[in-house]
């Protein structure tokens, strides 16, 4: 059970080959564990492990390749640390093996729409984060279109919660995410953040992933590794618009900023 009276921090751990300077298995496992240790020491509540790149235009990976990337890391974290582990995947087979290897939460950018995903998640009886995306990672940024983005994202997420509830997923195990940057233009992302309260009104905790994302490129014109102050500013706005869980790269800095902002927040 997660306590949502204070903001919950989800630290990002990418275990795709491009996220390590050296492709070797030992070195990548070690550097992943060092990063996890640092994020936990800084106060992360959840570690989100992703083995499939969902960045715009990224190629898909096979089930076996994704499992080879994430399972050793999940097992090693489970052995060494006491933390909540989230698995960032859209593949039901990966969800199943990851949870059985020690992960506690499913983070699916595809909102459990893959064949069999809802049933696996229901059987596993763990929290699930349902995210909105228009299109798929390969084509989503080519020409995103909405008549009313808030209404359309709310409609989609509500519909997914209904499918989940019908399959036996418990209401208390559902989190929602509007999916910043997933099939959204700069203007769409702005509108979505400004209207985030409407998504909270569906009655589920809202998770946001804004850290270092490209809407900041338009706002401050800085490279990915120079977006800390911008990312924190977006997190504070999301907090003021009722977000409960923050998926971030920079754990310590985000926690400090959210603690300060939280002093002025009532919910
Ligand atoms: C999310 O929003 N995002 S992976 C592009 C960037 C920076 C970061 C430089 N998984 C989310 O983090 N899961 C990802 O530009 C996610 N919500 C949830 N629930 C993309 C990412 C990123 C992409």
């Amino acid at each position: 059970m997660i306590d949502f009276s204070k903001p919950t921090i989800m630290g990002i751990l990418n275990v795709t080959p491009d996220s390590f300077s050296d492709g070797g298995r030992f070195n990548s496992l070690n550097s992943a564990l060092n990063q996890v240790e640092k994020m936990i020491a800084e106060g992360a509540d959840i570690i989100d492990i992703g083995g499939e790149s969902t960045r715009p235009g990224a190629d898909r990976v096979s089930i076996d390749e994704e499992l080879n990337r994430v399972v050793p890391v999940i097992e090693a974290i489970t052995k060494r640390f006491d933390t909540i582990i989230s698995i960032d995947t859209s593949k039901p087979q990966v969800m199943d093996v990851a949870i059985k290897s020690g992960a506690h939460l499913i983070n699916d950018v595809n909102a459990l729409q893959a064949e069999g995903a809802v049933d696996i998640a229901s059987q596993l009886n763990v929290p699930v984060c349902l995210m909105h995306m228009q299109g798929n990672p390969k084509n989503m940024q080519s020409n995103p279109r909405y008549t009313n983005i808030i209404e359309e994202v709310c409609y989609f997420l509500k519909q997914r919660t209904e499918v989940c509830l019908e399959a036996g997923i418990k209401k208390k195990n559902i989190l929602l995410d509007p999916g910043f940057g997933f099939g959204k233009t700069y203007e769409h992302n702005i509108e979505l953040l400004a209207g985030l309260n409407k998504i909270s009104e569906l009655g589920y905790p809202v998770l946001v992933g804004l850290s270092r994302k490209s809407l900041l490129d338009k706002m401050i014109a800085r490279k990915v590794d120079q977006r800390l102050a911008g990312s924190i500013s977006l997190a504070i706005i999301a907090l003021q618009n009722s977000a409960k869980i923050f998926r971030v790269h920079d754990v310590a800095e985000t926690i400090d900023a959210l603690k300060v902002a939280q002093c002025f927040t009532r919910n």
Side-chain angles (χ1 to χ4, degrees):
M1 267 270 97
I2 305 171
D3 165 24
F4 292 117
S5 62
K6 71 170 183 65
T8 297
I9 302 297
M10 174 184 266
I12 300 170
L13 183 70
N14 283 317
V15 292
T16 51
D18 51 308
S19 47
F20 297 105
S21 46
D22 164 312
R25 288 257 178 250
F26 175 78
N27 273 304
S28 63
L29 182 59
N30 247 313
S31 86
L33 289 174
N34 285 337
Q35 221 181 308
V36 169
E37 184 171 35
K38 177 171 184 276
M39 291 195 287
I40 293 172
E42 292 179 351
D45 305 288
I46 304 169
I47 302 295
D48 186 46
I49 304 173
E52 180 186 38
S53 181
T54 43
R55 287 181 185 226
D59 283 319
R60 305 212 44 163
V61 300
S62 71
I63 295 165
D64 282 347
E65 177 54 29
E66 203 177 324
L67 285 171
N68 287 338
R69 292 176 185 176
V70 300
V71 170
V73 181
I74 293 169
E75 288 175 345
I77 294 173
T78 304
K79 214 191 289 177
R80 309 233 310 237
F81 307 106
D82 179 24
T83 188
I84 299 173
I85 301 169
S86 156
I87 176 68
D88 188 341
T89 191
S90 296
K91 298 186 182 73
Q93 302 91 335
V94 176
M95 294 170 189
D96 192 39
V97 178
I99 298 296
K100 287 169 180 164
S101 304
H104 308 89
L105 186 155
I106 296 166
N107 174 26
D108 184 3
V109 299
N110 198 34
L112 302 179
Q113 291 177 103
E115 173 95 48
V118 170
D119 291 326
I120 290 279
S122 174
Q123 280 166 34
L124 293 168
N125 192 26
V126 292
V128 295
C129 178
L130 307 173
M131 199 195 79
H132 174 273
M133 167 163 48
Q134 186 179 88
N136 58 58
K138 215 139 182 97
N139 67 19
M140 63 188 179
Q141 291 309 107
S142 65
N143 186 22
R145 294 190 149 268
Y146 300 86
T147 305
N148 181 328
I149 185 162
I150 301 290
E151 270 182 23
E152 288 171 55
V153 170
C154 282
Y155 179 84
F156 171 83
L157 291 175
K158 180 152 199 302
Q159 185 204 307
R160 293 310 298 159
T161 63
E162 282 162 6
V163 171
C164 288
L165 294 169
E166 232 163 90
I169 295 178
K170 298 184 177 81
K171 179 162 197 282
K172 69 165 174 64
N173 274 341
I174 297 176
L175 310 173
L176 300 180
D177 183 338
F180 290 102
F182 287 84
K184 281 114 187 161
T185 63
Y186 171 74
E187 287 78 13
H188 292 143
N189 287 314
I190 299 289
E191 234 184 297
L192 205 49
L193 182 53
L196 201 64
N197 271 315
K198 286 272 175 245
I199 294 157
S200 295
E201 285 167 13
L202 292 172
Y204 300 87
V206 169
L207 185 155
V208 291
L210 289 155
S211 187
R212 300 185 187 173
K213 283 195 178 164
S214 52
L215 68 161
L216 288 166
D217 184 31
K218 197 90 156 196
M219 294 176 177
I220 55 178
R222 293 196 193 282
K223 292 178 300 187
V224 176
D225 61 350
Q226 298 296 316
R227 296 180 183 169
L228 174 58
S231 297
I232 287 174
S233 306
L234 293 175
I236 290 174
I237 295 163
L239 176 80
Q240 293 174 333
N241 289 340
S242 313
K244 302 295 180 207
I245 306 143
F246 300 80
R247 182 180 178 276
V248 302
H249 299 86
D250 304 287
V251 172
E253 295 88 343
T254 308
I255 289 177
D256 272 4
L258 289 176
K259 274 184 183 164
V260 172
Q262 178 74 350
C263 297
F264 301 88
T265 306
R266 274 172 308 277
N267 43 60

